[in-house]
Amino acid sequence: MNALRQSSPLAVTGKYLALAFYVAFALFPLYWLAKIAVTPDKLIFSEGTALIPSKFTFENFQTVLLQTDFVAYFRNSLIVSIGTAAITTVIAAAAGYAFSRFDFRGKRLIIALMLITQMFPLLMIIAPIYKIVAALGLLNSLTSLIIVYTAFNIPFATFLMQSFFDGIPKDLEDAGMIDGCTRFEALRKIVLPLTLPGLGATLGFIFTAAWSELLFALMLINSNDAMTFPVGLLTFVSKFSVDWGQMMAAGVLALVPSCLFFIFIQRYLVQGLTTGAVKG
Amino acid sequence: MTARADNAPGETRARGSFYIRYMVEPYLYLSPAVIVIALVMLVPLVIGISYAFQAVNLLRPFDTGWVGFENFQALWSDRKFWLALKNTFWWTVGSITFQFFLGLGLALLLNTRFYGKRLVQALVFLPWAVPTFLSALTWAWLFNPTIGPLPHWLAALGILSEPYNILGDPDLAMWGPITANVWFGIPFFAITLLAALQSIPGELYEAAEIDGASAWQTFTKITLPFLAPMIAITVMLRTIWIANFADLIFVMTGGGPANSTQILSTYIFTTAFRKLDFGYASAIAVALLGLLLIYAVVLLVLRRKLVKI
């Protein structure tokens, strides 16, 4: 819209320069991570700060995959993130549907409770959670992480799903229900297929959040077998802090799943929030 | 009339199911969410607040019990706490200012037309998808003079006298995590503000153009007023979120050197995680919660006073 008027060459150049700055700022740290990861160990100190290394190697990736525990950390993180994303999305879709389609007593109270969980410092409950999980004998288990992460992510996922449901006309299900469907059938056959992009986006959000969580995982996991990727990487860094190439190769690997999900969801991101913004 | 009442089939059924439909059915959908949140977040929250008034230290398991306000008295005379409070303020203000203005700029740019827009949008939003621990490590490495370029660039620009690691310098260390946080947080502001920008009706801009408004006038008279509610709510929520955000600092500096980057949330975490002193950690957390509540209330009152319409 604004673009129509900005036809002066100076303004256009300025705009592209600004965009280039943003892209460079966003990508540079990631480029650097990948660059050190493919630089041969011998060259790191002599060419550590050169923009492009003179030789490339995939040795660091090989070492990380074959000689360290990162494959196990990766698997643990995948289990936790996929488990959390799947459970949270199902629970949040149900709750978001209730918020979107029903007016009922206690609705405002429950919304308020969910908002409160987004406001207080999560670290406040790190000590009680640790004691409860320890008392249940669930320290060092991935299950405890999945349960904790699920709870953390439900409120946001619920509001997100609600905005997606709000974007679907109520008439569609009403028509289905007049034709003899029960509400649940109408939800399953008519509404859910239309919210698939929303479900995908929510899955992606939660997956990324669970994949990145560090502090609760540090607190609840200390055995090497159950470490998630963040905990494993941090332990690795504090133990072998000179293996630059290997650390960065591990970092690049940690980046892969969240980037895949991100590429998948980023199209829906602004779109989903727009429908929410228009409604709200 | 009577005939119609008699004829209404299923009216009793409707009466009976009215209760189910409007009182019970929503809760069938909601109960899993409510139960999980209550058990995993609200109950521990209450327990956590109660810890603030107890001695709970896993390293001294026999020395437990209610201590009243002892933890808070210790907090009051704890110099580290006041330092962390000051650092929290600068960390939050520094991060949010840069995140907001750079995010707004990016949103305005993305709301125009240009070549390769979809690709550019995907690329600039990417940092948001990078796991926080990895952002922290990456930026810590960028600031490391052995393998990172930043110290050398800063030295070449004359900002640093020689290429050294600013994360080890008490005067400059806070800029490290702030930079990482700005990098990580720009996409959030850009995404939410872009969504708000796209919901501004296009006709308004057309009308403004017909009336011969300048670009600056359009921005201040149409764009900003439309964005204002979104800006207010995102800045408020983000401020609280950043004040609570410990990951970046914990990974990059661990609160050091000499506590120069210790903020309240990292202080809570290190007290709980390293010292296993849950009582004291909870007291700091309660203090932080109180401060955030005051902040939120002040903002809401201000908003009521300022926005009369």
Side-chain angles (χ1 to χ4, degrees):
Chain A
M1 291 156 251
N2 282 344
L4 295 176
R5 84 167 79 237
Q6 284 175 1
S7 43
S8 92
L10 200 68
V12 172
T13 322
K15 189 170 94 176
Y16 280 92
L17 275 179
L19 283 167
F21 160 77
Y22 276 109
V23 172
F25 184 53
L27 292 188
F28 180 73
L30 300 177
Y31 166 74
W32 203 260
L33 189 72
K35 193 215 90 170
I36 300 277
V38 298
T39 306
D41 275 348
K42 275 178 269 166
L43 295 181
I44 280 184
F45 291 95
S46 54
E47 293 185 9
T49 54
L51 276 179
I52 299 170
S54 56
K55 281 202 190 96
F56 294 92
T57 173
F58 285 98
E59 214 173 284
N60 291 320
F61 287 94
Q62 248 174 12
T63 321
V64 163
L65 289 174
L66 299 178
Q67 289 168 28
T68 64
D69 292 328
F70 274 104
V71 176
Y73 303 153
F74 203 83
R75 198 197 54 222
N76 289 337
S77 261
L78 268 187
I79 294 173
V80 170
S81 307
I82 291 177
T84 307
I87 299 172
T88 309
T89 306
V90 171
I91 294 179
Y97 182 74
F99 282 156
S100 170
R101 290 299 195 262
F102 294 97
D103 233 349
F104 54 91
R105 198 179 289 176
K107 184 175 177 177
R108 291 176 70 103
L109 176 74
I110 294 178
I111 291 181
L113 280 180
M114 285 201 175
L115 284 177
I116 287 176
T117 64
Q118 300 298 288
M119 307 291 277
F120 71 81
L122 267 188
L123 286 175
M124 228 174 147
I125 59 172
I126 203 165
I129 293 257
Y130 178 85
K131 280 204 119 184
I132 295 170
V133 169
L136 293 172
L138 283 174
L139 284 181
N140 289 318
S141 89
L142 299 180
T143 321
S144 62
L145 282 188
I146 294 179
I147 296 172
V148 170
Y149 292 173
T150 301
F152 288 176
N153 287 304
I154 283 177
F156 174 73
T158 300
F159 295 129
L160 195 63
M161 282 312 301
Q162 184 196 351
S163 78
F164 285 117
F165 282 124
D166 283 344
I168 294 170
K170 218 175 166 177
D171 306 348
L172 285 176
E173 313 151 69
D174 288 345
M177 279 154 73
I178 288 167
D179 288 348
C181 287
T182 64
R183 178 178 282 276
F184 188 71
E185 278 171 349
L187 169 64
R188 196 164 55 87
K189 290 186 186 151
I190 302 168
V191 183
L192 276 188
L194 289 171
T195 20
L196 278 184
L199 285 172
T202 312
L203 272 173
F205 267 109
I206 309 306
F207 181 94
T208 340
W211 187 268
S212 338
E213 208 286 330
L214 169 69
L215 299 182
F216 278 77
L218 265 180
M219 196 81 190
L220 298 178
I221 305 282
N222 54 40
S223 92
N224 199 40
D225 298 335
M227 279 184 185
T228 54
F229 210 103
V231 183
L233 188 57
L234 214 61
T235 316
F236 187 84
V237 168
S238 47
K239 249 194 252 167
F240 310 95
S241 59
V242 282
D243 276 328
W244 296 111
Q246 287 181 32
M247 289 193 299
M248 303 222 180
V252 171
L253 292 176
L255 203 56
V256 173
S258 17
C259 282
L260 284 181
F261 255 100
F262 175 73
I263 290 165
F264 167 66
I265 64 157
Q266 69 96 11
R267 240 176 337 139
Y268 304 116
L269 225 67
V270 176
Q271 195 187 326
L273 288 167
T274 315
T275 42
V278 172
K279 287 277 164 186
Chain B
M1 282 292 194
T2 40
R4 264 187 78 194
D6 286 341
N7 275 353
E11 170 152 286
T12 41
R13 205 195 68 194
R15 275 273 164 80
S17 70
F18 177 85
Y19 185 76
I20 295 190
R21 275 187 62 188
Y22 291 96
M23 304 305 288
V24 178
E25 202 178 353
Y27 282 97
L28 289 180
Y29 291 103
L30 269 175
S31 51
V34 172
I35 290 170
V36 173
I37 291 176
L39 287 182
V40 184
M41 299 187 79
L42 298 177
V43 170
L45 177 62
V46 174
I47 299 177
I49 293 174
S50 81
Y51 279 178
F53 303 95
Q54 299 176 56
V56 193
N57 189 334
L58 295 197
L59 298 178
R60 283 177 293 162
F62 302 108
D63 190 15
T64 55
W66 295 91
V67 294
F69 284 90
E70 224 169 75
N71 286 325
F72 291 97
Q73 276 165 0
L75 204 60
W76 187 259
S77 47
D78 182 357
R79 280 184 50 204
K80 234 169 124 179
F81 169 74
W82 295 106
L83 179 62
L85 186 61
K86 197 182 88 188
N87 288 339
T88 306
F89 178 78
W90 288 115
W91 152 254
T92 312
V93 171
S95 303
I96 200 104
T97 313
F98 286 106
Q99 281 186 2
F100 171 69
F101 283 106
L102 289 169
L104 178 64
L106 181 57
L108 289 170
L109 280 171
L110 288 177
N111 199 35
T112 61
R113 277 185 223 148
F114 55 86
Y115 286 111
K117 181 169 170 179
R118 283 185 60 162
L119 180 68
V120 168
Q121 186 167 320
L123 293 179
V124 291
F125 286 172
L126 195 59
W128 176 81
V130 176
T132 40
F133 67 93
L134 195 58
S135 317
L137 285 175
T138 308
W139 279 97
W141 291 331
L142 285 174
F143 280 114
N144 184 313
T146 316
I147 48 157
L150 294 184
H152 303 275
W153 291 355
L154 291 173
L157 288 173
I159 298 171
L160 294 183
S161 53
E162 51 174 336
Y164 67 93
N165 195 339
I166 65 158
L167 295 179
D169 177 347
D171 294 328
L172 294 174
M174 189 56 108
W175 286 106
I178 287 181
T179 312
N181 197 13
V182 170
W183 180 76
F184 169 74
I186 288 176
F188 171 82
F189 272 105
I191 291 170
T192 42
L193 293 176
L194 180 59
L197 278 174
Q198 290 181 349
S199 63
I200 301 177
E203 301 95 50
L204 287 177
Y205 289 108
E206 286 162 27
E209 198 164 12
I210 291 167
D211 291 345
S214 72
W216 178 249
Q217 280 174 325
T218 332
F219 179 70
T220 51
K221 298 274 148 97
I222 300 177
T223 312
L224 269 189
F226 261 94
L227 284 187
M230 192 62 153
I231 291 176
I233 193 83
T234 38
V235 167
M236 185 181 108
L237 289 177
R238 231 20 200 184
T239 306
I240 293 176
W241 193 88
I242 290 175
N244 289 328
F245 186 34
D247 301 42
L248 282 179
I249 292 183
F250 179 75
V251 174
M252 288 181 80
T253 65
N259 289 311
S260 60
T261 57
Q262 191 79 273
I263 61 169
L264 287 176
S265 55
T266 54
Y267 193 25
I268 297 170
F269 184 71
T270 42
T271 310
F273 178 63
R274 294 217 201 288
K275 295 192 184 150
L276 295 174
D277 189 345
F278 290 174
Y280 198 59
S282 297
I284 310 171
V286 168
L288 175 59
L289 179 68
L291 291 168
L292 292 176
L293 276 179
I294 294 172
Y295 165 79
V297 169
V298 167
L299 264 198
L300 289 176
V301 170
L302 274 182
R303 217 188 97 167
R304 243 194 218 161
K305 286 241 164 103
L306 293 178
V307 187
K308 288 274 181 203
I309 317 145

